[in-house]
C-alpha cells in the first residue's frame, strides 16, 4: 500500500539483513537535486545501477523513456530543466524496482502532464510507498493510508486517502471533545458534592464516599486528554 511514514520499517534484530535491505531494497526521491553534474542523464542512472550491482542500460533507457526523457539521455543536468531533473531522480528511484519507495515532494518542478503520469504510475504500485506531499489532489489519487505526525511527536495512522483522513480526524477530535467535557463536568459535580456533603449526615456522607470511589476509579482508568489545537508546520503530515 501507499503510506506516509516517519520512522524505520527495517527490522532491528538482524544487522546484516538490515544493511542489505537498506542498500538494495529502498528507492527514494528527496527535494534537493543530487545528480552528478559531470555525468549525463543516462550515466547518472547507470551509476546508481552499478552501485546496487544491477547495471542494465536497456532498463535505464526504458525508465528514462517512461518519464519522458528519451531525447535528453545524453544531456548533462545543467542542460535540462528542474522538472526534467526531477524526472531523472524518479527514474533512478524506480530503477531497482525497490520494495520500499520513499518520495519527498515528488511533484516539485513537474508540469501537469508529468504529475498525472506519476499519479497513474504510483496508484498501481504494488509494494510499499511512503511519500510526503503538499498536493491534496496527488495524495487523494495515490494514497491508501495516512500517517499524522502530531505536535507531541507521535504517529497516528488512518485508513483512506487525504479527504478521508481529514473527515476521520475531525470526527475523532469532535468525539474527544465531547468525552473530555463530559468527564470534566462529572468530576466537577462529584467534587462539589463531596466538599459539600462529605461531613454531613450519615446518608449524605455515604453518598459522598461512593462518589469519591467513582471519581478515583475514573482517574485510575485514565481521563481523556484535552484536545489541543494543531499548530501546523510543513512536517505535520506524511503519507503512504
Amino acid at each position: 500500500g501507499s503510506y506516509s511514514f516517519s520512522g524505520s520499517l527495517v527490522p532491528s534484530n538482524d544487522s546484516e539483513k538490515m544493511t542489505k535491505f537498506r542498500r538494495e531494497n529502498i528507492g527514494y526521491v528527496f527535494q534537493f537535486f543530487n545528480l552528478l553534474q559531470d555525468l549525463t542523464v543516462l550515466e547518472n542512472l547507470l551509476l546508481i545501477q552499478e552501485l546496487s550491482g544491477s547495471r542494465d542500460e536497456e532498463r535505464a533507457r526504458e525508465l528514462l523513456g517512461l518519464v519522458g526523457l528519451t531525447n535528453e539521455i545524453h544531456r548533462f543536468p545543467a542542460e535540462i530543466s528542474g522538472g526534467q531533473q526531477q524526472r531523472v531522480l524518479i527514474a533512478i528511484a524506480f530503477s531497482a524496482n525497490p520494495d520500499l519507495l520513499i518520495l519527498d515532494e515528488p511533484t516539485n518542478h513537474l508540469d501537469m502532464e508529468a504529475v498525472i503520469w506519476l499519479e497513474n504510475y504510483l496508484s498501481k504500485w504494488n509494494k510499499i510507498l511512503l511519500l510526503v506531499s503538499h498536493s491534496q489532489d496527488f495524495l487523494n489519487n495515490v494514497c491508501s493510508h495516512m500517517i499524522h505526525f502530531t505536535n507531541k511527536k507521535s504517529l497516528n495512522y488512518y485508513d483512506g486517502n487525504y479527504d478521508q483522513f481529514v473527515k476521520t480526524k475531525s470526527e475523532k477530535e469532535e468525539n474527544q471533545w465531547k468525552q473530555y467535557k463530559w468527564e470534566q463536568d462529572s468530576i466537577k459535580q462529584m467534587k462539589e458534592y463531596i466538599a459539600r456533603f462529605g461531613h454531613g449526615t450519615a446518608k449524605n456522607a455515604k453518598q459522598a464516599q461512593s462518589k469519591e470511589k467513582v471519581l478515583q476509579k475514573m482517574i485510575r482508568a485514565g481521563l481523556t486528554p484535552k484536545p489541543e489545537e494543531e499548530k501546523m508546520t510543513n512536517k505535520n503530515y506524511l503519507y503512504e
Side-chain angles (χ1 to χ4, degrees):
S2 45
Y3 291 81
S4 56
F5 186 77
S6 171
S8 175
L9 291 181
V10 181
S12 58
N13 60 343
D14 190 324
S15 59
E16 183 177 349
K17 289 182 179 179
M18 179 173 65
T19 301
K20 183 177 180 182
F21 184 92
R22 285 175 172 165
R23 184 178 67 247
E24 298 179 0
N25 300 81
I26 299 178
Y28 57 85
V29 172
F30 295 137
Q31 290 191 52
F32 54 86
F33 296 133
N34 56 355
L35 297 175
L36 296 178
Q37 298 300 305
D38 57 343
L39 296 181
T40 66
V41 167
L42 177 61
E43 289 170 341
N44 265 278
L45 202 159
L46 290 175
L47 175 61
I48 297 300
Q49 289 184 336
E50 288 178 1
L51 293 175
S52 62
S54 59
R55 179 186 171 99
D56 184 341
E57 184 169 338
E58 183 179 351
R59 169 68 172 162
R61 289 174 177 271
E62 177 186 351
L63 285 168
L64 291 171
L66 193 64
V67 297
L69 295 176
T70 301
N71 297 326
E72 286 78 21
I73 62 174
H74 296 303
R75 298 175 68 182
F76 291 92
E79 299 174 334
I80 61 178
S81 68
Q84 290 172 325
Q85 291 186 49
Q86 183 78 344
R87 294 189 192 198
V88 177
L89 295 177
I90 292 171
I92 288 174
F94 291 157
S95 64
N97 194 24
D99 295 320
L100 170 58
L101 180 61
I102 302 174
L103 305 179
D104 183 11
E105 297 290 355
T107 61
N108 279 3
H109 309 288
L110 296 183
D111 57 28
M112 185 56 65
E113 181 181 358
V115 170
I116 293 174
W117 171 85
L118 186 60
E119 282 182 359
N120 292 333
Y121 190 88
L122 292 178
S123 65
K124 300 179 181 68
W125 189 258
N126 60 2
K127 297 183 180 180
I128 301 172
L129 167 64
L130 309 179
L131 70 92
V132 176
S133 176
H134 288 86
S135 171
Q136 295 180 17
D137 287 339
F138 187 77
L139 295 172
N140 279 329
N141 293 330
V142 172
C143 298
S144 58
H145 302 77
M146 297 284 144
I147 301 176
H148 176 208
F149 186 31
T150 71
N151 289 335
K152 294 182 179 180
K153 298 183 179 180
S154 63
L155 297 175
N156 293 334
Y157 299 78
Y158 296 84
D159 291 333
N161 62 14
Y162 183 82
D163 285 346
Q164 183 60 48
F165 155 73
V166 172
K167 181 176 182 294
T168 303
K169 182 173 178 289
S170 177
E171 292 172 349
K172 181 180 178 181
E173 290 174 346
E174 182 179 355
N175 291 333
Q176 183 178 347
W177 264 114
K178 290 179 180 178
Q179 182 66 19
Y180 172 79
K181 290 178 179 179
W182 178 85
E183 289 177 356
Q184 294 303 310
D185 289 343
S186 298
I187 290 171
K188 180 181 178 182
Q189 292 173 11
M190 285 188 284
K191 285 184 174 180
E192 289 176 349
Y193 190 95
I194 293 169
R196 183 177 180 184
F197 298 109
H199 302 287
T201 64
K203 179 179 179 181
N204 287 341
K206 185 176 181 180
Q207 290 180 337
Q209 291 175 358
S210 177
K211 291 183 181 296
E212 177 69 27
K213 290 180 180 179
V214 173
L215 177 58
Q216 293 304 317
K217 184 177 180 181
M218 286 179 62
I219 294 174
R220 286 195 301 270
L223 298 175
T224 301
K226 181 179 180 180
E228 296 183 3
E229 183 178 353
E230 191 76 272
K231 296 178 181 178
M232 296 301 298
T233 72
N234 61 356
K235 297 181 180 180
N236 271 103
Y237 300 102
L238 300 161
Y239 311 90
E240 62 177 346

